[in-house]
Amino acid sequence: MMLYVIVPWCALFTFTQQATSAEKCVCELTNSEEAFPHDTLSTMEDNASKCNSEITSQKTLELESLLLGLERRLPQLQDDVSVLEKEDDGGLYGVLSLQVIENEIMDIKQLIDKLNSTTLGHQLLTIETTKQLENLKAEMQELEKYDTMQVVKRQQANQRLKRELNQCRNGLHSTIQPTQPQHGNCPHGQFLNITGPRVYTAGEYPGSYKYGAWGRDPKPEAGKESWYWLVMMTSSNRYSHYVRLYSSLSSLIVGVSIPGNVLIHSSNPTTNTIQGPNVVMYGEALYYNCYNQDAVCRFNLSTKTVTTLQLPKGTRFNSKGNFCHLDECYPYTDLDLATDESGVWVIYTTSQDFGNLVLSKVEEGEQLMLGQTWHTSVYKLGVTNTFIACGVLYVTRFVNKDVEEIFYSFDTVTGEEKFNIGVFISKMAPNIYALNYSPVDQMLHAYCDSYMVSYKVLFG
Ligand SMILES: *[C@@H]1O[C@H](CO)[C@@H](O)[C@H](O)[C@H]1NC(C)=O
Ligand SMILES: *[C@@H]1O[C@H](CO)[C@@H](O)[C@H](O)[C@H]1NC(C)=O
Ligand SMILES: *[C@@H]1O[C@H](CO)[C@@H](O)[C@H](O)[C@H]1NC(C)=O
Ligand SMILES: *[C@@H]1O[C@H](CO)[C@@H](O)[C@H](O)[C@H]1NC(C)=O
């Protein structure tokens, strides 16, 4: 037994001895394959990411909004010309209309010039990018020959199979979706979704004013149906003392304001100054949170007079009941004014509601009055904005810098609250400081970190 154990020990010893005393051992590995060109792959990666960063969705949107502007502008010109033709009595009226048309043609020319320079830029970019993509494709195919184990080929086949499987699954899903009940109160049907951005512009003052609001007056004076308004917080990101008007969407995009500013007061801030960005225009009047007051102000643009509407005792104001997300609160967003098919609303919060959203109808008679009020169970500090469409309040929250979610709704007709709306807004800038629905064309106008963006609301 003893001997049996010793023998292998001896054997091991002699083996080790032999190994250390041996000459240097050289192992020759002959590889019939070429070495993988890592350098080429890494330059290709750089080239591809350069390609990606040059073509952004902003570029296509810029073009889209210019075209949209032109599309809306041309019928307007046609209408005006035909009015002029009818009215041409050789007198003063004809001369005046001619001037209006000259202005319009100037606007359109500016728009076309901008479009021309944009499309030229895009053409160059397209040619350049196509060339680069072709190069990349050729090099990629060249590199595929190193895939001797067929790993990439199999991965590609797997991905294709997975895609087909998903398509198959989704196809099954869509056929068994339950039918939605009819919504009785909205002429457009039930709220379904929001499109991607339809208008995206930096406007006349690119990047100058982070906070503001813009939109269309749903009940304009005759002849001002295509006008747009813009209010920017021009002082301390909090206050403003004028409304800027544009005679069309394209004028707003190219930044030509023919009507110019309508001033509330020459000082800013002072009594009746606009405080906070969530303002709206309705019936030739601007509705907003008055400076240093728990009240709604109405500025009549024709008479330049201000009427106020005192909100209930306990209403939070002066940045005490703001819209917020986890990282920040939006200053002076205590009062959110809104428009829908039925008129003007105000959304706010009070101490007696423990910070939950409250909404009231604003009765816009000669005297402003507070109409019916509804109390919700959604906490204002956890939401970023609201809008109202067809008497239903929709509430948004911040998901990340690219996405906002419409997560909650409150139907003022049925009193029903829903916390599972799950409609996502694709953002062009991180913060939506003002959001309002235009009942005229079902567009949602957002003012985000100085950009003006709009979306179409889809009903069905
Ligand atoms: C990367 O781009 C440069 C310049 O466009 C080009 O000269 C080069 O061949 C490209 N390299 C690869 C690996 O695609
Ligand atoms: C567009 O721009 C180019 C180059 O600046 C110019 O040659 C051309 O005439 C322009 N076209 C129009 C329709 O303005
Ligand atoms: C809503 O619209 C977005 C963007 O157009 C789309 O990705 C999404 O699938 C739509 N959602 C529904 C429920 O139709
Ligand atoms: C603005 O004032 C004019 C003149 O008093 C009046 O006719 C109009 O109704 C007012 N507009 C609003 C929205 O109050």
Side-chain angles (χ1 to χ4, degrees):
M1 187 65 188
M2 216 34 195
L3 192 70
Y4 178 77
V5 176
I6 286 166
V7 171
W9 267 104
C10 273
L12 184 68
F13 184 69
T14 42
F15 173 74
T16 317
Q17 280 252 312
Q18 271 171 1
T20 43
S21 66
E23 286 295 305
K24 243 188 221 160
C25 173
V26 176
C27 218
E28 200 171 316
L29 174 72
T30 35
N31 183 7
S32 57
E33 311 276 334
E34 280 177 62
F36 185 82
H38 288 283
D39 289 351
T40 318
L41 185 63
S42 104
T43 8
M44 275 174 67
E45 268 171 5
D46 290 350
N47 282 5
S49 76
K50 229 188 289 163
C51 245
N52 268 341
S53 64
E54 272 167 8
I55 297 196
T56 60
S57 61
Q58 293 188 1
K59 288 220 165 83
T60 50
L61 263 170
E62 198 179 297
L63 196 61
E64 210 176 292
S65 59
L66 281 170
L67 283 173
L68 186 69
L70 205 56
E71 187 185 295
R72 297 205 179 168
R73 207 63 214 249
L74 289 174
Q76 175 79 41
L77 180 67
Q78 209 169 11
D79 287 354
D80 289 349
V81 170
S82 67
V83 169
L84 180 67
E85 277 167 0
K86 280 191 221 117
E87 278 174 1
D88 185 19
D89 54 359
L92 185 63
Y93 205 91
V95 175
L96 280 178
S97 311
L98 198 56
Q99 212 161 27
V100 169
I101 285 166
E102 265 173 20
N103 281 340
E104 273 180 1
I105 291 177
M106 279 292 287
D107 280 5
I108 288 174
K109 192 177 169 309
Q110 270 172 324
L111 205 55
I112 289 176
D113 286 348
K114 201 157 175 191
L115 199 58
N116 188 15
S117 59
T118 313
T119 46
L120 273 178
H122 285 194
Q123 271 169 13
L124 287 178
L125 191 63
T126 311
I127 294 169
E128 188 65 18
T129 314
T130 312
K131 212 167 66 197
Q132 277 179 358
L133 283 178
E134 271 164 8
N135 284 347
L136 283 175
K137 193 174 157 201
E139 302 216 22
M140 225 33 213
Q141 276 164 353
E142 186 64 20
L143 286 186
E144 261 178 31
K145 77 165 191 249
Y146 292 94
D147 184 22
T148 48
M149 311 276 283
Q150 305 250 309
V151 178
V152 176
K153 269 202 189 114
R154 273 185 214 148
Q155 269 178 356
Q156 282 170 349
N158 276 346
Q159 271 170 3
R160 199 176 49 243
L161 283 174
K162 266 191 200 154
R163 246 196 330 266
E164 280 167 10
L165 186 63
N166 266 339
Q167 273 166 5
C168 222
R169 278 202 193 122
N170 290 339
L172 276 178
H173 254 296
S174 59
T175 53
I176 51 166
Q177 255 181 9
T179 49
Q180 298 281 355
Q182 284 268 245
H183 196 286
N185 309 302
C186 194
H188 325 293
Q190 194 181 345
F191 172 84
L192 287 182
N193 204 353
I194 306 277
T195 64
R198 284 286 169 85
V199 172
Y200 167 56
T201 176
E204 195 174 350
Y205 307 96
S208 298
Y209 304 109
K210 214 172 160 208
Y211 295 80
W214 73 294
R216 263 176 106 162
D217 184 343
K219 209 180 110 190
E221 252 175 28
K224 296 185 180 172
E225 288 82 1
S226 58
W227 284 32
Y228 280 74
W229 57 266
L230 168 64
V231 170
M232 299 160 289
M233 301 297 111
T234 50
S235 168
S236 318
N237 282 340
R238 294 180 196 170
Y239 312 119
S240 175
H241 59 139
Y242 66 88
V243 188
R244 192 155 177 81
L245 298 172
Y246 297 90
S247 59
S248 66
L249 180 60
S250 48
S251 315
L252 177 129
I253 290 169
V254 295
V256 178
S257 168
I258 298 286
N261 296 343
V262 183
L263 215 59
I264 298 173
H265 195 281
S266 53
S267 325
N268 180 21
T270 180
T271 319
N272 295 340
T273 291
I274 302 165
Q275 174 170 300
N278 284 294
V279 310
V280 293
M281 224 175 108
Y282 187 84
E284 293 287 308
L286 188 79
Y287 291 78
Y288 59 93
N289 184 182
C290 315
Y291 172 62
N292 200 24
Q293 284 186 64
D294 47 351
V296 173
C297 264
R298 175 177 68 188
F299 171 62
N300 185 324
L301 267 71
S302 327
T303 57
K304 316 252 189 310
T305 51
V306 175
T307 320
T308 57
L309 166 63
Q310 182 62 46
L311 290 174
K313 255 207 159 52
T315 294
R316 295 190 176 167
F317 68 112
N318 277 349
S319 227
K320 300 221 172 56
N322 288 330
F323 288 132
C324 299
H325 58 86
L326 278 181
D327 296 332
E328 90 177 275
C329 283
Y330 299 158
Y332 296 91
T333 51
D334 305 271
L335 264 56
D336 181 7
L337 279 301
T339 54
D340 79 342
E341 286 73 6
S342 66
V344 181
W345 301 76
V346 58
I347 298 112
Y348 55 103
T349 182
T350 71
S351 301
Q352 55 273 26
D353 287 282
F354 308 106
N356 285 347
L357 280 184
V358 178
L359 86 150
S360 300
K361 190 76 188 57
V362 175
E363 305 297 343
E364 337 93 21
E366 199 170 318
Q367 286 296 313
L368 271 184
M369 295 214 299
L370 205 61
Q372 202 178 341
T373 293
W374 291 264
H375 304 266
T376 76
S377 50
V378 67
Y379 190 50
K380 190 171 178 197
L381 293 184
V383 313
T384 46
N385 225 303
T386 74
F387 65 93
I388 299 188
C390 288
V392 179
L393 173 77
Y394 295 93
V395 177
T396 66
R397 66 178 165 211
F398 186 96
V399 177
N400 59 44
K401 70 178 188 23
D402 302 313
V403 178
E404 206 86 356
E405 182 190 2
I406 302 171
F407 74 100
Y408 170 91
S409 74
F410 183 96
D411 189 328
T412 58
V413 176
T414 62
E416 188 189 9
E417 288 189 289
K418 286 185 190 162
F419 278 92
N420 59 349
I421 302 299
V423 166
F424 296 93
I425 303 178
S426 152
K427 288 186 286 190
M428 305 304 291
N431 299 297
I432 298 182
Y433 292 124
L435 187 66
N436 192 46
Y437 168 75
S438 161
V440 183
D441 49 10
Q442 289 82 52
M443 296 297 278
L444 208 51
H445 294 115
Y447 191 99
C448 325
D449 297 300
S450 92
Y451 288 101
M452 289 171 270
V453 189
S454 69
Y455 306 84
K456 178 103 182 167
V457 181
L458 302 174
F459 295 94

